Amino acid sequence: MGYYSEHVVPRLIDWACGMKTGEPIRERACRGLTGEVVELGFGSGLNIRFYPPEVDSVAAVEPSDVAWRMAADRVAGSRAPVRLAARDGQRLPFADASFDSALSTWTLCTIPDAQAALREIRRVLRPGGVLRFVEHGLAPEADQGVRRWQHRLDPIQQRAFAGCHLDRPIVPMITNAGFTVTDLEVFYEPGAPRILAADSLGSARVAA
């Protein structure tokens, strides 16, 4: 990783994703987490304050040392114990059926092989386990103008934000990994440009 990707981008993400307007969305994404949780793209720990009481522990998956250091105070203050457990979401070092729940918030846009990461999450979830997610991606089909701009600007976005894509089809990616989506809301984040803020929020379940 270059200096910009390693040192600047984690701070930009912490600033951009830590805005007050995103907190209600994070809180909703964390609802329903229980037991042992694996969090994909833990970042600087912005979700910690929204973990429900039913969470027993969290295994953080985060490639950035800078982001993990930024999370130190949040991790120290977490009610549920949090450990840095893996660096690469595409190859998780966990046994099959190790976790009760998984969480991914604005992460699938950046992982190089997000489909592989979703298959890994499915593998490490127990039968009946739940993935809670909120992700930005390809705008709804009705908004073809927004989609065209997402496709045009995607190469620029990737260069500016260390591989972040604007136009990944989030829900098809999740279902193609073998999940059943059981709850879904698709909306634009208020106050943000639509090309950046077409969110899909919901739950997906592993077959029991």
Side-chain angles (χ1 to χ4, degrees):
M1 296 175 69
Y3 181 87
Y4 178 78
S5 296
E6 187 173 355
H7 293 278
V8 177
V9 169
R11 291 178 170 87
L12 284 175
I13 292 172
D14 179 70
W15 169 76
C17 292
M19 293 183 177
K20 291 285 187 183
T21 53
E23 291 183 355
I25 301 174
R26 286 187 184 277
E27 189 275 331
R28 289 164 61 197
C30 290
R31 292 177 191 170
L33 294 173
T34 60
E36 297 177 54
V37 176
V38 55
E39 181 171 348
L40 187 64
F42 179 82
S44 56
L46 293 170
N47 290 322
I48 285 176
R49 60 183 293 202
F50 303 113
Y51 295 156
E54 293 80 8
V55 170
D56 295 327
S57 66
V58 177
V61 181
E62 176 52 50
S64 169
D65 289 328
V66 171
W68 180 250
R69 288 197 296 270
M70 292 171 65
D73 288 345
R74 296 179 179 121
V75 169
S78 176
R79 181 199 55 80
V82 178
R83 73 186 193 281
L84 180 58
R87 297 288 190 173
D88 185 357
Q90 301 159 129
R91 288 175 291 275
L92 296 176
F94 311 127
D96 295 357
S98 299
F99 295 93
D100 302 296
S101 310
L103 175 64
S104 180
T105 58
W106 296 296
T107 298
L108 296 176
C109 57
T110 304
I111 298 173
D113 190 345
Q115 202 69 69
L118 284 165
R119 288 194 297 268
E120 280 290 271
I121 290 294
R122 181 179 178 276
R123 177 183 67 80
V124 303
L125 281 174
R126 298 185 175 108
V130 172
L131 166 64
R132 292 289 301 167
F133 63 90
V134 60
E135 302 287 348
H136 79 86
L138 190 63
E141 190 171 358
D143 294 340
Q144 289 297 322
V146 178
R147 284 188 170 198
R148 282 194 293 271
W149 277 106
Q150 287 180 315
H151 295 319
R152 288 170 185 163
L153 296 177
D154 189 64
I156 298 171
Q157 174 78 359
Q158 289 183 59
R159 289 194 293 272
F161 287 93
C164 175
H165 291 261
L166 294 173
D167 56 0
R168 283 184 166 171
I170 298 302
V171 175
M173 288 168 57
I174 292 171
T175 56
N176 288 343
F179 287 95
T180 299
V181 174
T182 56
D183 178 42
L184 179 66
E185 299 176 54
V186 178
F187 58 91
Y188 290 107
E189 292 177 47
R194 288 193 164 197
I195 59 169
L196 300 171
D199 280 355
S200 298
L201 182 154
S203 297
R205 189 173 294 275
V206 176

